[in-house]
Amino acid sequence: MKARTVYTVLEETAAKYPEKAALHQPLGGGKYRTWTWSEYRDTVQQIAVGVRELGVPKGGMVALQSETRAEFYLTDIGVMTSGAITAALYTSLPYTDQVKTLRASDATVVFVENEKVMKALQDAAAGDPLDVRWVLLTDDSVRALGEEKMREDPAVFERIRAEVSESDMAVLYMTSGATGEPKMGLVSHRALVANMDMSPSSFPLSPEDCTIAFLPSAHIAQRVVVELLPIREGGCIWFSEGLAKMPHELRTIRPTFFLAPPRVWERIYTTVSAEIRKRPAAVRRLFYTAIGLGSEASRRKQQGKEVPAWMRTSLRVFDRIVFAKIRERLGGRMRLAASGAAPLGKDLAEFYGAIGMPLIEGYGLTEGGVAALNPLDRPKAGSIGKLLPGFEARIEEDGELMLRGGSLFSGYYKDPEATAAVLRDGWLATGDIAECDADGYYYITGRKKELIVSSNGKKIYPARIEGMLKKEPAINQVLLIGDRMPYVTALFTVNGAPEELRSIVEKAVKAVNKQLASFEQVRKFKILEKDFSIELGELTPTMKVRRSRVLENHRELVSEMYMGKDVE
């Protein structure tokens, strides 16, 4: 019996749907280069052979530095198929940090998107040049090398394939480093395929489904949901030309499934809200009445209650004159709208539920793959959903979520101590604080390492409170402070001029404080002049806030809120 690897899954899908479109890469001017599933399979074979011809052995490390595009997918799967390990770089990081990652990964071959990127990486390593072979991802040279070798030796691919087993490593993920130095996690073919095999029952796709890919491929949500799951089920990928063109692409491609972080869904919601505020009073009343009724119907569905006939009749009218027009901005065909990569605000989830396009939130992590997802027919706002088939979970006394299942990673690269700290007797310590309700839905309430313990010993989970504050559209980012201090303070960044929005932020803080225990309430706050940034080390490549760096960069402002007392 042949090993069930990522390539095996691609081969199965290509056999089922050989002439169906798999990948569409934009060429500019509205034109696309298309690969069918059989072309996808054949190209991967050629790249796999080409990688071996470059001298990369089984188990060797190959790095990819590229925005998400068809050639990334083809090369990524080709490298895995060759038996080598593929390591994608976060392209948003400074080039000096990317060079550090390249050194730490021991990559011997680096595929880069273009010559400009290659030169930037080489310049960043100028003092100590990298001992790697540079290859342009888009010049087709490695595929051509493999094709030529396969003509000379028709059996070469099958020999390579026979060497690769389920237990071989396939991917090296870089963790975002939100609570410390980034680590690199090794994931086997077996773990990736186990995650892919969970999709038919939880995330059903077919060749009639399509999506737009735009998230960074170094991120596990993009890699699993938008690259690997479509291989399992035959979903078609259209690659975006960039966020500026996304509104047009949504209307013309009309995706049926779409994964985006909360910031994208927030942007759509904020745009709609801003437009409604400019409309006449009668139109505003109609919109808010429709949203109110839609929200109530959505809540009833979540609770398993029947929606009354009068409500269904009213909603049909509202759907035609209000909700359908909002959905049309997203193509009008979306049946599976997913939010990932960061927690989703409950109010945002309720808005999309109200317009008949509930956002499906899930949960995944580098070390465990995608582990939970809301059921498509009954999502719960604010929840990460239920465990996917094959996963077990338990919640420790301190609230930490522990996971066990087939898609867990094998360990951190060259870091046995860090591996032993998170993999315990087959269970993964996620570092996330969780709760589970009577229906089996899980809720993430904070990060274990981000717990604030005030000077009087009270425990505060900042993620929950930050999420409540971010429901205000004017607030972009928020960081709660208060560890070992007598009261809680906050730093905000806003969508506009700080001086103009201070009263709105103050109103939001007062509203949230009313819902909190006295020891959790925000007593003072400051609005920063600009957003947290990756360049200043305040955000990870996946847009998670690095608390320690934000505190370091704004130490004086924070100190002012505690009457000159230094905050660690």
Side-chain angles (χ1 to χ4, degrees):
M1 185 178 171
K2 287 179 179 175
R4 188 162 163 76
T5 63
V6 173
Y7 172 77
T8 313
V9 181
L10 171 61
E11 185 180 51
E12 290 166 357
T13 299
K16 265 192 211 172
Y17 313 115
E19 300 310 313
K20 291 280 188 182
L23 309 173
H24 298 280
Q25 173 62 32
L27 302 174
K31 295 180 180 176
Y32 286 83
R33 157 80 162 96
T34 298
W35 285 261
T36 64
W37 283 105
S38 60
E39 288 170 333
Y40 194 164
R41 175 202 60 209
D42 295 346
T43 304
V44 161
Q45 289 182 4
Q46 291 160 357
I47 291 172
V49 174
V51 167
R52 283 291 183 96
E53 287 297 289
L54 291 178
V56 180
K58 179 187 169 186
M61 202 70 72
V62 175
L64 280 77
Q65 204 287 6
S66 172
E67 300 301 331
T68 296
R69 55 184 299 138
E71 291 87 352
F72 180 99
Y73 278 34
L74 295 163
T75 305
D76 192 38
I77 306 300
V79 170
M80 294 183 212
T81 302
S82 78
I85 302 166
T86 173
L89 302 180
Y90 278 108
T91 58
S92 56
L93 283 175
Y95 287 116
T96 50
D97 288 354
Q98 293 184 46
V99 167
K100 284 181 193 172
T101 304
L102 286 172
R103 293 193 200 284
S105 71
D106 298 320
T108 56
V109 171
V110 183
F111 283 86
V112 291
E113 188 167 12
N114 53 53
E115 290 182 353
K116 182 182 175 184
V117 168
M118 181 168 67
K119 186 176 186 309
L121 288 169
Q122 289 170 340
D123 289 347
D128 183 13
L130 290 160
D131 184 19
V132 298
R133 179 165 183 166
W134 300 94
V135 181
L136 284 176
L137 186 72
T138 53
D139 73 358
D140 205 38
S141 60
V142 175
R143 187 208 61 78
L145 189 65
E147 184 181 34
E148 184 181 342
K149 179 65 177 176
M150 289 172 77
R151 273 199 301 268
E152 295 170 7
D153 180 359
V156 64
F157 175 74
E158 286 303 324
R159 289 200 301 275
I160 292 170
R161 175 193 182 149
E163 294 174 18
V164 184
S165 72
E166 295 103 326
S167 58
D168 288 327
M169 296 303 118
V171 172
L172 184 73
Y173 283 119
M174 191 178 86
T175 64
S176 62
T179 55
E181 280 300 306
K183 302 182 185 72
M184 292 179 286
L186 283 164
V187 183
S188 68
H189 281 271
R190 180 183 287 117
L192 293 177
V193 171
N195 226 181
M196 293 164 82
D197 282 342
M198 294 173 193
S199 61
S201 60
S202 308
F203 202 92
L205 302 175
S206 78
E208 308 314 311
D209 286 302
C210 69
T211 192
I212 300 171
F214 70 100
L215 294 169
S217 282
H219 195 282
I220 189 168
Q222 158 65 30
R223 203 76 157 278
V224 173
V225 178
V226 191
E227 181 179 348
L228 296 177
L229 294 195
I231 291 176
R232 174 65 172 78
E233 302 185 271
C236 177
I237 311 296
W238 295 78
F239 294 91
S240 177
E241 289 193 76
L243 285 176
K245 295 195 176 180
M246 182 73 73
H248 174 72
E249 290 169 340
L250 285 165
R251 288 192 299 270
T252 54
I253 294 169
R254 304 180 68 221
T256 60
F257 73 101
F258 188 63
L259 170 70
R263 292 185 89 181
V264 171
W265 300 113
E266 282 168 10
R267 198 171 295 147
I268 296 165
Y269 167 68
T270 302
T271 302
V272 171
S273 298
E275 288 178 13
I276 291 298
R277 282 197 291 268
K278 295 174 186 173
R279 297 293 178 90
V283 174
R284 294 200 302 272
R285 277 197 301 273
L286 177 70
F287 176 80
Y288 294 127
T289 302
I291 291 295
L293 199 64
S295 296
E296 177 58 27
S298 178
R299 274 192 290 273
R300 284 174 174 270
K301 288 174 187 173
Q302 287 180 28
Q303 294 163 2
K305 295 178 181 176
E306 189 178 343
V307 178
W310 70 266
M311 193 179 285
R312 292 198 303 271
T313 302
S314 300
L315 284 172
R316 278 195 290 271
V317 177
F318 286 136
D319 191 77
R320 189 174 68 253
I321 62 177
V322 179
F323 303 152
K325 291 176 181 176
I326 300 173
R327 295 197 303 268
E328 202 58 42
R329 291 169 178 249
L330 301 167
R333 294 198 304 161
M334 206 173 292
R335 63 175 188 82
L336 209 165
S339 181
L344 179 71
K346 193 171 182 179
D347 280 11
L348 201 62
E350 287 179 352
F351 168 77
Y352 284 97
I355 68 168
M357 199 183 79
L359 294 183
I360 305 300
E361 195 171 5
Y363 173 78
L365 65 170
T366 303
E367 297 86 350
V370 178
L373 192 70
N374 266 278
L376 305 190
D377 58 345
R378 198 182 160 194
K380 283 193 181 183
S383 163
I384 58 168
K386 296 185 174 186
L387 295 175
L388 292 179
F391 268 103
E392 299 173 68
R394 70 168 195 251
I395 296 175
E396 300 286 70
E397 283 186 15
D398 64 0
E400 184 175 13
L401 177 65
M402 305 288 287
L403 290 174
R404 183 162 67 181
S407 64
L408 299 192
F409 84 143
S410 298
Y412 295 116
Y413 185 57
K414 291 186 172 179
D415 197 342
E417 285 184 19
T419 300
V422 298
L423 285 180
R424 308 170 196 163
D425 300 321
W427 288 86
L428 172 68
T430 66
D432 286 314
I433 304 299
E435 297 171 356
C436 183
D437 69 14
D439 297 322
Y441 287 76
Y442 284 81
Y443 299 80
I444 301 299
T445 57
R447 285 287 294 168
K448 193 173 175 180
K449 285 187 179 179
E450 291 173 357
L451 176 70
I452 290 174
V453 182
S454 63
S455 58
N456 61 4
K458 296 288 188 182
K459 292 181 179 178
I460 301 156
Y461 291 101
R464 179 178 69 90
I465 301 169
E466 288 164 356
M468 292 165 75
L469 289 163
K470 285 200 282 189
K471 289 175 185 176
E472 165 52 57
I475 294 171
N476 190 18
Q477 294 156 324
V478 55
L479 181 87
L480 240 61
I481 305 158
D483 198 42
R484 291 176 285 176
M485 303 305 284
Y487 52 85
V488 175
T489 63
L491 293 176
F492 289 94
T493 73
V494 293
N495 298 310
E499 61 278 7
E500 293 173 14
L501 295 173
R502 182 170 180 85
S503 61
I504 293 175
V505 173
E506 195 167 333
K507 188 177 176 183
V509 169
K510 285 179 180 176
V512 168
N513 277 348
K514 288 177 183 175
Q515 304 170 56
L516 301 175
S518 60
F519 65 86
E520 296 176 305
Q521 290 172 359
V522 177
R523 302 304 168 104
K524 297 181 182 180
F525 68 87
K526 297 278 187 183
I527 301 176
L528 304 178
E529 290 299 319
K530 55 185 179 181
D531 282 344
F532 302 148
S533 72
I534 292 173
E535 292 72 26
L536 294 175
E538 296 163 336
L539 294 177
T540 72
T542 56
M543 306 308 285
K544 295 185 181 79
V545 176
R546 285 195 173 111
R547 292 175 181 268
S548 59
R549 183 59 67 85
V550 172
L551 288 176
E552 185 182 316
N553 291 355
H554 303 283
R555 185 172 291 278
E556 287 184 17
L557 278 179
V558 174
S559 181
E560 284 175 23
M561 293 191 287
Y562 292 99
M563 294 172 290
K565 187 173 181 180
D566 222 11
V567 178
E568 294 180 9

